[in-house]
Amino acid sequence: MMIKRLALATLGCLTLSSALANTPEVPDPALYRLDQLQLMQGFPPEPDKRVTAGNYLLNFPNLRWAFHHMRELRPSRAVTRGSGPVSVLPRGDDRRAEIEALSFIGPDGKTGNFADYLDGTYADATLIMHNGKVIYEAYHQGMPEQNPHILWSVTKSFTGLLATQLIHEGLLDPDAPVTRYVPELENSGWKGATVQQVLNMTADIAYNEVYGDPQSDVLKYAMAAGMAPAPHDYPGQLTLTDYLPGIAAGPGEHGRDFVYRTVHTEVLGWIVRRASNRSLAELISQRLWQPLGAEQDAYLLLDAIGTEWSGAGLNVTLRDLARFAEMLRNQGQFNGQQIVAPEVIATITAGADREAFKASGRDFMPGFSYRNQWWISHDADGSYYAMGVHGQLIHINPTTSTVVVRLSSHPYASSAVTMPWTLKAMAALADHLR
Amino acid sequence: MMIKRLALATLGCLTLSSALANTPEVPDPALYRLDQLQLMQGFPPEPDKRVTAGNYLLNFPNLRWAFHHMRELRPSRAVTRGSGPVSVLPRGDDRRAEIEALSFIGPDGKTGNFADYLDGTYADATLIMHNGKVIYEAYHQGMPEQNPHILWSVTKSFTGLLATQLIHEGLLDPDAPVTRYVPELENSGWKGATVQQVLNMTADIAYNEVYGDPQSDVLKYAMAAGMAPAPHDYPGQLTLTDYLPGIAAGPGEHGRDFVYRTVHTEVLGWIVRRASNRSLAELISQRLWQPLGAEQDAYLLLDAIGTEWSGAGLNVTLRDLARFAEMLRNQGQFNGQQIVAPEVIATITAGADREAFKASGRDFMPGFSYRNQWWISHDADGSYYAMGVHGQLIHINPTTSTVVVRLSSHPYASSAVTMPWTLKAMAALADHLR
């Protein structure tokens, strides 16, 4: 079940891997093992092994090194863990061998096992908790466990959770127009949209986030954020707060179709900062990282004037991501504290309109909805997800009391490539653990 | 004794503050208090309050914010503290009031006190230990204590200490030619120079590090390091390892005069990496930060291909800098461990040729020598220093068992402005504590 022949979807996912756009093949993971790539070794590294701000994203396999060294490429802001003790992450029996041998039928119709799944989807590190205890923790191919790893769009779920908590506390009104918090968007496509519509990505804007299209708006976003280098004579905007107000209204109406667009989360981050008068780094630190007793500082990536990428730029270690996910599974409790209100988690897991979701064309996620920046499966177990392009994952199954987190550096910037495998793997794991 | 009228020295110090080059006045610190500057407040900050990679250094007062937010402006590499417990930094009686009231005659001939000295030299944070205990710790004007602060040339003293320790361990030969470790320098000004001559900055190269001169080599260095932005059509080198080999031989001879040049330390860092097969970040982590039981990860700033600025780019918190300095005062012991060999410290504190030092024209540091990247006073107390441009400081007085560390953001990039005051202040402190 090596994942080699997957048709490349053109669905709306943040992607910049245009170098790969013309091949329908997923590169053989055995040819791109992190521990054999020799990237950034030596002083200085050989010219063809240098990973830079200019080549980390488009020149595969550079992202395999870059995704756990993002602060070495871009400006970043610390999300401090504070000075408190590190919380205990309870250990259960090590079930590594048993889990890796777990066999299931993949979306290609062939039988493989969990180890194949991890390898074939370019997992960098994977942790599984069951009934509140770690039963699987692996750093694949030499990925250093102390390095924060970029989460890409899993970041959105953090921003959405913070927004939902602010709503719960009465600091943010979901029914208010976006422009109440960000008047700069008065002449943009977000005019007339509510905060809730941004949370659910049903605000309608003229923005395409299409794979492999050099004219795609997503490239303009990436240059505004500093995620991709802009040519010196680039005439467009070079900060997020300059860029977002120029995005125009869409052809439809707000509040109808779900269409996945990262710029909605950048607007949400702007709203959250304005409503709380805190940076995202402060909020994540004060409300999550410090009470969770995180082991390591996390960090956020920044644009040229210090605005955090609120839809893409959070970097955390594997165990700290597990603490966060386990807290959610446990109705907001962890480390002896109520960290997030249970009502906040209930709001998210209730999901949103599944018909609105169908408009997105994400046939590989049947029955899902998208609520407050989380992917809700509406399956019998009530499982839900945070997903990052290139395969980063939070999976929470409340029924089987299971949490799975993974860090990943898949060559394709498309959940359509990895998610069908992940759904099968999570289903097999649930059946095994239930 | 407000420090307002200081003639601007043109001595060799890393400097980029050309915006200030035409004024002999030190701006009044009361006009540039960190807690009143409103830099980088709001989402986004007001245009005239934005600190960026392009304006942090030249547009005073931006450096007041930038120097404790360098990772938000530039790529950086973590110096991890590991996962061990934080070491105890023993507390003595708080002698803040008494120390701040300490009165002495400044280099301007007027009487002032220690608080005036700190204020007038733009100190951001100051810690004093006496007999192994903290007697003074202050974060001035709202400087956040958890933020690592750039040390500028205090970094050199870390690199020099590591080199001296590698020599002690037999991993580095001080008498070997530089080119044994860095063959890339075969056609450069370092040809024929020894490692020890680089350590003592007596290798002779064609390089001027002159204040306020837009044609100065120091600007080329800064652009190669990524410290200062290069114009898009800049024809020069944009990495340190491309830049250093192009520096030509000087008119004199190696091993004679001390001339302070940051590029020597960049070469030293290159040598240290090659000799140890470790990055500076790994070396500082493994040999200093982890055994010291540092509270926070430190970090190093990087050029465009990940080469650390080994002469300028270390960022640490105040208390961690104090742990490091106290370890040195205590003959390499701290946190129950022998961290640096006593012989290494003895080598450094023995100093170098004071006649060679005179060639540097540093009349404001009479009697000093420069040994292995440390400033040795040869005073009766045997005190020695690490100094950063803009006023960062380590001061160790073995006789009075005193350690002073300070973080600082003086508007002038010149030790000639701050060091005369620091020498008077340290002498007054020594007399008070002896």
Side-chain angles (χ1 to χ4, degrees), chain A residues 341-359:
Chain A
E343 296 85 350
V344 167
I345 297 167
T347 295
I348 289 169
T349 55
D353 182 0
R354 295 161 75 180
E355 289 301 315
F357 190 87
K358 286 182 182 169

Side-chain angles (χ1 to χ4, degrees), chain A residues 257-296:
Chain A
D257 295 342
F258 162 71
V259 185
Y260 186 77
R261 288 158 169 151
T262 297
V263 288
H264 284 316
T265 319
E266 297 300 341
V267 166
L268 183 64
W270 202 347
I271 292 168
V272 162
R273 290 181 200 105
R274 285 274 172 82
S276 66
N277 197 30
R278 296 277 183 279
S279 68
L280 283 187
E282 289 176 287
L283 286 171
I284 297 173
S285 172
Q286 293 169 0
R287 290 165 175 273
L288 298 171
W289 244 233
Q290 293 188 54
L292 282 169
E295 278 180 56
Q296 298 274 349

Side-chain angles (χ1 to χ4, degrees), chain A residues 12-33:
Chain A
C13 300
L14 171 62
T15 174
L16 293 159
S17 294
S18 59
L20 292 165
N22 297 321
T23 167
E25 299 260 341
V26 173
D28 183 349
L31 302 178
Y32 298 101
R33 288 182 56 88

Side-chain angles (χ1 to χ4, degrees), chain B residues 66-144:
Chain B
F67 285 3
H68 56 281
H69 292 92
M70 289 300 294
R71 71 176 286 180
E72 302 191 17
L73 302 170
R74 293 286 318 157
S76 63
R77 179 170 294 148
V79 175
T80 175
R81 61 169 301 284
S83 55
V86 174
S87 64
V88 173
L89 195 59
R91 297 271 155 189
D93 293 336
D94 181 352
R95 297 174 71 174
R96 178 166 183 163
E98 162 199 340
I99 286 170
E100 291 191 345
L102 187 60
S103 141
F104 62 96
I105 299 172
D108 60 353
K110 297 177 186 167
T111 299
N113 64 32
F114 204 87
D116 294 334
Y117 154 66
L118 293 175
D119 196 45
T121 53
Y122 285 82
D124 291 326
T126 312
L127 191 150
I128 303 173
M129 297 184 75
H130 184 227
N131 293 329
K133 295 180 178 174
V134 178
I135 60 169
Y136 182 96
E137 179 177 0
Y139 301 85
H140 312 296
Q141 303 174 19
M143 153 85 196

Side-chain angles (χ1 to χ4, degrees), chain A residues 110-128:
Chain A
K110 297 178 186 167
T111 298
N113 63 31
F114 204 87
D116 294 333
Y117 154 67
L118 294 175
D119 196 45
T121 53
Y122 285 82
D124 291 326
T126 311
L127 190 150
I128 303 173

